[in-house]
Amino acid sequence: MRRLLTTLMILLVVIIASLSALVLLVNPNDFRDYMVRQVEARSGYQLKLEGPLRWHVWPQLSILSGRMNLTAPGASQPMVTADNMRLDVKLLPLLSHQLHVRQVMLKGAVVQLTPESEARRPKDAPIGPQGGTAPSDSDRGWSFDISRLKVADSVLVFQHEGDEQVTVRNLNLQMDQDEKRQAQIDFSARVLRDQRTLDLSFNAALNVANYPEDLAANISNLQYQLKGADLPSQGITGQGAFNANWQEGQKKLSFSELQLTANDSQLSGNGSVALQKDPDWLLNLAFSKLNLENLLPTQTASAAPVAQQAQSQPVLPRPVIADNASEQDYSMLRGFNARANISAESVLWRGLNFTKVRAALANNSGLLTISTLEGNLGAGHISLPGSLNTKQQPAQAKFIPNIQNIEISQVLKAFDYPIALSGALSMTGDFSGTQIDANAFRQNWEGEASVEMTNSRLEGMNFQQMIQQAVARNNGSVQAQQFEENATKLEQFTTDVSLDHGKLTLNQMEGRSSMLALNGEGTMDLVTEQCDTLFQVRVVDGWKGEGSLVEFLKQTPIPLRVYGSWKQLNYSLQVDQILRKHLQEEAKRRLNDWAERHKDSSKSKDVKELLKKL
């Protein structure tokens, strides 16, 4: 044991002596000019190292530098700036004049990907021959290699020309590369923008053998959390994985085998974008479940109609930009082209559970065409093809709805309308407006539609009961039927509607059931939630009483006006005028019959003169 310890101590002394000799014999500043030349020769970037280079031998052999920056050719600002840089090097290659850097570490660096830090080619720069290669290292006294890059606690500033800056903080990056130029990346960062916070981390396997012509990546273990303004209170959290590929010649970025979750929603698909003057997107996305209830913010009370304010929950709004605060801004659609095919097995929105949803969209520099937007709701089907033209100001949206057998009560409940109406709704129409928004639809849209409802039921008002009770109060020979339900039921109802900036006009209303038939017209104010409708109602069954009067009532429409707030509707009936007219007509008929039977009587002439005056 003593010999073993002695041997280990001798070996340790030799290693320490070797390192000390190396530190004394090899001056790290001898590498300064060489590294600068190598970086410029291989990439064209200018590396600037301030202060002397120095050795650091524990826990690993490293070269430390002072402040450094890396600047692209022709750029006005450096792309990378750091207060210090550490190069972890291999010991043995130094003995044969080879600088093998295991790891480059930057801490507290600032990475700028902005127009000012981009490489710019001088106008008079010579053009090298195609297929030219960088000088090899075989004719140099030193060779240079890097296998690992580490960036810790740094900042990334990202900006497209003309766009706002995006600042990425707490940036941590570690990249390992082997001799086949296969790289492994661990990345984490936090993005702060517009009162929103995005925490992002992922692992990636990169194939950089053909970089920059081609770059392939496999992204795994993607974790993210998004919180802040205009988002649900719990934020949006998820994980995912996908493959990505960059083709330099076509300036095309594509992704495939996408698997992504967002709260309880699941997304898969593929797509690509060609980064031309106007980027060209192609997307194929499929949701097994899309729960918009957990992805969209709760509407603020100030933007909700009166009926919704009590149920709204305020959320932190995004900052208001004065230039576009007055209207919805669709200008971003004018900056790209896109084609998208989207499908979803299930979509939950405002309490409505849609199934088998499909959408096909195409954007042509601001002309958005929605050729297909359809899905099932319960036993019914909805189709909403349309378009949005942002090339004109203001933007013009147009939709041509085709709805079949949708339960109307679900829709009214989803938008908090206080109307207790149920039934299967079918509709075809044509509507247009300037903003695609539920509140804008109530206030500013216009259009026309044909509406049909089957097995409808209006709670709170029984037209048949109201009319029969009013008749019974005015005429004791007729009795009112007793009803257990306070509701008006119609087997069939049709109307033509027109919408004009919040005012919905109902024309040619017609309805029927086994108990009554009606027609009429009216208006509904979608903003103030008021209505004023006038029906002509014939109660064709359920009468009890004197025969001739009942037959008259079955054939005679009774004017019924329904008006007021949707929350508390009022009505008025003109039964007494109808009954008075009936009595007058009955009296005239009887007097006329008497006069005909007593033509020779002197009183017959007096009766006929009286009938002429009535």
Side-chain angles (χ1 to χ4, degrees):
M1 179 63 69
R2 182 179 299 176
R3 290 182 179 181
L4 177 61
L5 292 176
T6 302
T7 303
L8 292 176
M9 290 300 297
I10 294 173
L11 180 61
L12 180 61
V13 170
V14 171
I15 293 176
I16 294 175
S18 300
L19 290 175
S20 301
L22 180 64
V23 171
L24 293 174
L25 297 176
V26 179
N27 185 356
N29 289 283
D30 294 342
F31 306 135
R32 176 196 297 272
D33 293 339
Y34 171 72
M35 288 189 294
V36 171
R37 290 196 307 270
Q38 281 288 299
V39 170
E40 184 172 7
R42 293 173 178 268
S43 66
Y45 284 69
Q46 296 179 353
L47 175 63
K48 183 178 180 181
L49 301 174
E50 299 180 5
L53 302 181
R54 59 192 186 278
W55 286 112
H56 182 76
V57 297
W58 186 262
Q60 55 191 356
L61 184 61
S62 304
I63 298 176
L64 301 181
S65 77
R67 184 176 178 83
M68 62 79 64
N69 62 65
L70 185 67
T71 306
S76 59
Q77 292 184 4
M79 185 180 71
V80 181
T81 302
D83 292 333
N84 57 74
M85 178 176 65
R86 191 184 80 194
L87 306 178
D88 298 335
V89 301
K90 297 180 181 180
L91 174 62
L92 294 180
L94 290 175
L95 302 177
S96 57
H97 282 222
Q98 293 180 348
L99 180 61
H100 283 257
V101 180
R102 293 182 176 181
Q103 176 175 272
V104 176
M105 179 176 179
L106 302 175
K107 188 171 183 179
V110 177
V111 181
Q112 297 188 83
L113 301 180
T114 64
E116 291 77 12
S117 65
E118 289 183 352
R120 298 185 182 276
R121 184 181 181 86
K123 296 181 179 180
D124 55 350
I127 301 177
Q130 294 185 353
T133 58
S136 65
D137 296 327
S138 59
D139 57 347
R140 303 176 184 272
W142 291 86
S143 64
F144 186 57
D145 186 28
I146 299 176
S147 58
R148 177 177 293 182
L149 171 66
K150 185 175 182 179
V151 179
D153 300 329
S154 299
V155 175
L156 169 65
V157 179
F158 181 80
Q159 181 186 25
H160 279 300
E161 190 169 357
D163 294 339
E164 296 182 26
Q165 281 190 356
V166 178
T167 302
V168 181
R169 302 186 182 277
N170 299 342
L171 174 64
N172 292 279
L173 170 69
Q174 180 164 323
M175 183 177 72
D176 297 302
Q177 180 182 228
D178 59 21
E179 63 279 359
K180 297 181 179 180
R181 303 194 70 185
Q182 305 296 312
Q184 297 291 328
I185 291 180
D186 296 330
F187 175 91
S188 66
R190 168 172 288 188
V191 183
L192 303 175
R193 188 181 184 189
D194 290 348
Q195 298 185 18
R196 292 179 175 179
T197 302
L198 172 63
D199 291 312
L200 176 67
S201 66
F202 62 84
N203 305 123
L206 272 67
N207 182 354
V208 294
N210 297 320
Y211 181 82
E213 288 78 14
D214 184 86
L215 175 64
N218 174 259
I219 310 298
S220 61
N221 197 27
L222 172 66
Q223 307 281 341
Y224 72 92
Q225 183 178 51
L226 180 62
K227 288 188 174 182
D230 277 358
L231 291 170
S233 57
Q234 77 276 15
I236 300 176
T237 304
Q239 57 187 8
F242 62 93
N243 295 328
N245 180 260
W246 169 255
Q247 295 176 311
E248 176 65 24
Q250 303 178 29
K251 301 292 183 182
K252 184 177 180 180
L253 176 65
S254 58
F255 67 90
S256 61
E257 299 183 24
L258 172 66
Q259 297 292 332
L260 184 68
T261 64
N263 293 342
D264 60 343
S265 300
Q266 298 91 34
L267 169 66
S268 62
N270 58 76
S272 65
V273 55
L275 300 179
Q276 306 165 356
K277 179 181 179 182
D278 290 334
D280 193 356
W281 288 85
L282 178 61
L283 299 174
N284 295 289
L285 305 176
F287 294 88
S288 57
K289 179 181 179 181
L290 176 58
N291 186 354
L292 296 176
E293 303 278 350
N294 291 335
L295 297 178
L296 299 179
T298 304
Q299 191 176 26
T300 58
S302 60
V306 175
Q308 299 182 37
Q309 290 184 5
Q311 301 184 22
S312 299
Q313 300 177 359
V315 296
L316 180 65
R318 296 179 66 186
V320 176
I321 301 175
D323 293 341
N324 59 5
S326 60
E327 62 180 25
Q328 187 75 30
D329 185 14
Y330 297 113
S331 60
M332 61 175 296
L333 292 175
R334 298 195 290 268
F336 68 93
N337 299 315
R339 289 169 293 160
N341 292 293
I342 304 172
S343 63
E345 290 298 315
S346 173
V347 177
L348 182 62
W349 178 62
R350 287 182 175 265
L352 301 173
N353 189 11
F354 297 91
T355 58
K356 304 296 182 181
V357 177
R358 295 192 309 115
L361 306 90
N363 180 51
N364 183 12
S365 299
L367 179 58
L368 176 63
T369 302
I370 306 174
S371 57
T372 302
L373 179 58
E374 62 181 6
N376 298 330
L377 180 60
H381 182 79
I382 296 179
S383 177
L384 289 172
S387 63
L388 174 64
N389 188 353
T390 69
K391 295 183 178 181
Q392 61 186 62
Q393 293 296 327
Q396 187 67 27
K398 182 178 181 180
F399 284 88
I400 306 174
N402 188 341
I403 300 174
Q404 301 294 327
N405 298 321
I406 295 298
E407 176 52 54
I408 185 63
S409 62
Q410 298 181 18
V411 179
L412 294 174
K413 181 180 179 181
F415 290 91
D416 299 319
Y417 281 128
I419 301 178
L421 177 65
S422 61
L425 171 70
S426 297
M427 181 182 72
T428 57
D430 189 338
F431 296 94
S432 62
T434 59
Q435 298 179 30
I436 303 177
D437 177 78
N439 197 41
F441 180 84
R442 295 185 185 97
Q443 298 183 14
N444 303 318
W445 279 55
E446 56 186 23
E448 297 179 345
S450 296
V451 177
E452 179 181 352
M453 291 188 63
T454 57
N455 300 320
S456 64
R457 178 187 176 99
L458 176 64
E459 301 289 347
M461 282 192 174
N462 189 325
F463 289 0
Q464 179 184 354
Q465 183 181 40
M466 291 188 299
I467 292 174
Q468 289 185 339
Q469 289 179 346
V471 171
R473 287 193 298 267
N474 284 271
N475 192 309
S477 63
V478 176
Q479 297 178 0
Q481 182 177 343
Q482 297 299 319
F483 294 88
E484 296 180 357
E485 298 177 321
N486 186 21
T488 299
K489 301 178 182 179
L490 294 174
E491 297 171 1
Q492 195 76 21
F493 177 82
T494 60
T495 183
D496 294 330
V497 302
S498 61
L499 176 65
D500 186 7
H501 296 81
K503 184 177 181 181
L504 188 68
T505 303
L506 298 93
N507 298 313
Q508 299 180 356
M509 288 189 291
E510 294 185 2
R512 61 174 178 81
S513 71
S514 60
M515 304 297 291
L516 57 82
L518 62 81
N519 59 68
E521 58 185 17
T523 61
M524 303 179 73
D525 195 314
L526 303 183
V527 179
T528 62
E529 297 184 352
Q530 301 279 329
C531 77
D532 191 353
T533 56
L534 180 61
F535 298 98
Q536 302 293 332
V537 183
R538 288 191 303 114
V539 180
V540 298
D541 200 357
W543 294 101
K544 294 181 180 180
E546 192 267 320
S548 61
L549 179 57
V550 168
E551 290 301 321
F552 169 77
L553 291 172
K554 288 182 178 181
Q555 301 298 324
T556 304
I558 306 298
L560 171 62
R561 182 188 177 204
V562 180
Y563 62 95
S565 170
W566 296 354
K567 296 181 180 180
Q568 189 173 2
L569 293 172
N570 303 309
Y571 73 93
S572 65
L573 280 168
Q574 301 178 9
V575 173
D576 52 346
Q577 294 93 328
I578 298 296
L579 293 177
R580 188 181 302 112
K581 182 179 179 182
H582 172 69
L583 291 175
Q584 289 176 349
E585 294 295 331
E586 184 66 18
K588 289 172 64 176
R589 184 186 64 80
R590 293 185 179 185
L591 287 173
N592 188 63
D593 290 345
W594 184 88
E596 289 295 328
R597 290 196 305 269
H598 301 81
K599 293 181 179 180
D600 298 335
S601 173
S602 59
K603 294 182 178 180
S604 176
K605 295 181 179 180
D606 296 336
V607 171
K608 290 184 177 181
E609 289 295 329
L610 177 61
L611 290 174
K612 292 179 180 179
K613 295 179 180 180
L614 293 178

